[in-house]
Amino acid sequence: SAPEVKGTTSHKEIFKGDALNLEEGITVTDKDGDNDIVKDDEKAFTYTVEKVDAKGNKTKVEDTTTIKDTAGTYEVTYTAKDKSGAEGKFIMTLVVKEPVVEIKEHFPEVIPEGYVKVEFKEGKHGKLEGTTKFLVKDGSAKTILNAPRVTANKNWKVNAEKPWDPAIPETFTGTEENKKSFVFTAQYTYTGPDVVEEEPGKGKPDVPDNFVKVEFKKGEHGVISSEEKFAFWVNPEKEVTLTAPTVTPSHGYKHTGW
């Protein structure tokens, strides 16, 4: 009877750059005894590797030392022969995964084994340029990816001391506490004036949350020109000076104050 080739797994996944020993875990047995197995360089089996593309096409890999550094799906075929020419085979699928996968839109519902989620958010006062969502090899150093570029809005700048909240850790290591998910939000420092006009119809301008609104209203017996400034957002921690708009009183009235 033909030799029987076995492996510890028929499907193996590693990350690009991980150590890879294609001979590990492979055993060969023959009911007619080990002496009936044809040895090749003292080994009881040989193997070939083919790279499988997305369409299922297979290309033989001549230099197997390059596999661990080349992401993709591979089919490894192990073969053992006995002295009668009978062959036994074992096939293992090998997946070499990228340590960083850029996500264009939404994360998958189920995160692939060995990865953690990393997401960057723009926050309130700026925009991000570049990829903002990643799947990252669990335990990778933070240098494995580049955070997106932050462009602050007018009157704001990126917080130099704390550009992200929370701070990016030294490693992206998944735990029960973080549920293998990291979310970082860009942080900003306000650099604008202590008084900012609210333009008609546009609502609150891009000012800090603690700014308060000061509004001048015409009252019942007068008008304020649409060309006048009558609504402002003010820094409550600073002493400021506001110029009140000019009021045109109705006939028979005069403006006496605010």
XYZ file of all heavy atoms in Angstrom, residues 125 155-156 190 193 195-196 204-212 233-234:
158
model
N -12.421 69.742 14.982
C -11.846 70.982 14.448
C -10.797 70.759 13.362
O -9.828 71.507 13.256
C -11.240 71.796 15.590
C -12.159 71.989 16.745
N -13.319 72.713 16.668
C -12.110 71.497 18.021
C -13.946 72.698 17.838
N -13.239 71.960 18.667
N -8.144 78.969 12.665
C -8.112 79.362 14.079
C -7.828 78.200 15.026
O -8.014 78.320 16.239
C -9.413 80.059 14.509
C -9.598 81.398 13.831
O -8.630 82.072 13.483
N -10.843 81.793 13.620
N -7.382 77.079 14.474
C -7.018 75.931 15.300
C -5.684 75.371 14.830
O -5.256 75.604 13.690
C -8.083 74.835 15.203
C -9.395 75.190 15.809
C -10.420 75.872 15.209
C -9.824 74.907 17.137
N -11.463 76.027 16.083
C -11.128 75.434 17.276
C -9.248 74.249 18.224
C -11.860 75.335 18.455
C -9.979 74.133 19.398
C -11.268 74.676 19.510
N -7.007 75.857 20.305
C -7.602 77.047 19.685
C -6.584 78.176 19.631
O -5.907 78.470 20.613
C -8.827 77.480 20.487
C -9.579 78.645 19.889
C -10.236 78.527 18.677
C -9.646 79.871 20.557
C -10.944 79.586 18.127
C -10.355 80.939 20.026
C -11.003 80.792 18.804
O -11.695 81.846 18.264
N -9.404 84.377 17.803
C -9.742 85.514 18.673
C -10.711 85.122 19.773
O -11.358 84.072 19.719
C -10.382 86.511 17.701
C -10.949 85.648 16.601
C -9.986 84.515 16.442
N -13.381 86.806 20.522
C -14.725 87.182 20.085
C -14.864 86.808 18.619
O -14.063 87.234 17.780
C -14.997 88.690 20.263
C -16.388 89.048 19.729
C -14.864 89.090 21.720
N -15.884 86.004 18.309
C -16.123 85.569 16.931
C -17.573 85.831 16.575
O -18.490 85.436 17.304
C -15.809 84.069 16.742
C -16.089 83.632 15.311
C -14.365 83.784 17.124
N -23.563 78.372 15.211
C -22.362 78.581 16.011
C -21.107 78.396 15.164
O -20.963 77.389 14.473
C -22.346 77.600 17.187
C -21.165 77.795 18.127
C -21.220 76.802 19.280
C -20.036 76.987 20.227
N -20.075 76.044 21.360
N -20.171 79.338 15.219
C -18.915 79.191 14.476
C -18.011 78.145 15.134
O -18.327 77.605 16.196
C -18.295 80.590 14.546
C -18.857 81.174 15.808
C -20.246 80.612 15.943
N -16.889 77.856 14.500
C -15.967 76.827 14.991
C -15.100 77.409 16.106
O -13.968 77.828 15.893
C -15.098 76.329 13.833
C -14.278 75.101 14.214
O -14.530 74.536 15.291
O -13.384 74.716 13.432
N -15.687 77.434 17.313
C -15.002 77.971 18.488
C -15.021 76.915 19.587
O -15.755 75.925 19.500
C -15.678 79.268 18.991
C -15.541 80.380 17.957
C -17.154 79.013 19.318
N -14.236 77.089 20.648
C -14.237 76.113 21.745
C -15.621 75.944 22.373
O -16.459 76.863 22.333
C -13.236 76.698 22.742
C -12.299 77.505 21.885
C -13.167 78.100 20.817
N -15.842 74.798 22.997
C -17.145 74.486 23.590
C -17.538 75.445 24.701
O -18.733 75.646 24.970
C -17.145 73.054 24.136
C -17.084 72.016 23.030
O -17.434 72.350 21.881
O -16.677 70.870 23.311
N -16.547 76.038 25.381
C -16.882 76.901 26.522
C -17.243 78.329 26.119
O -17.640 79.132 26.964
C -15.729 76.928 27.529
C -14.516 77.691 27.017
O -14.213 77.660 25.816
N -13.817 78.365 27.909
N -17.120 78.681 24.838
C -17.506 80.025 24.409
C -19.006 80.211 24.608
O -19.792 79.278 24.432
C -17.151 80.232 22.931
C -15.761 80.766 22.709
C -14.684 80.290 23.454
C -15.508 81.719 21.731
C -13.400 80.766 23.247
C -14.228 82.209 21.523
C -13.175 81.740 22.279
N -19.401 81.433 24.993
C -20.816 81.723 25.236
C -21.324 82.704 24.178
O -20.566 83.512 23.632
C -21.026 82.311 26.647
C -20.672 81.286 27.701
C -20.206 83.595 26.834
N -19.829 85.045 19.667
C -19.423 83.989 20.604
C -18.160 84.459 21.285
O -17.196 84.863 20.631
C -19.206 82.671 19.861
C -20.522 82.078 19.424
C -21.212 82.353 18.275
C -21.312 81.141 20.164
N -22.389 81.652 18.240
C -22.480 80.884 19.385
C -21.170 80.496 21.382
C -23.481 80.009 19.795
C -22.165 79.619 21.792
C -23.308 79.379 21.016
N -18.182 84.406 22.623
C -17.167 85.088 23.427
C -16.492 84.109 24.387
O -17.154 83.247 24.990
C -17.813 86.244 24.223
C -16.779 86.939 25.092
C -18.485 87.225 23.275
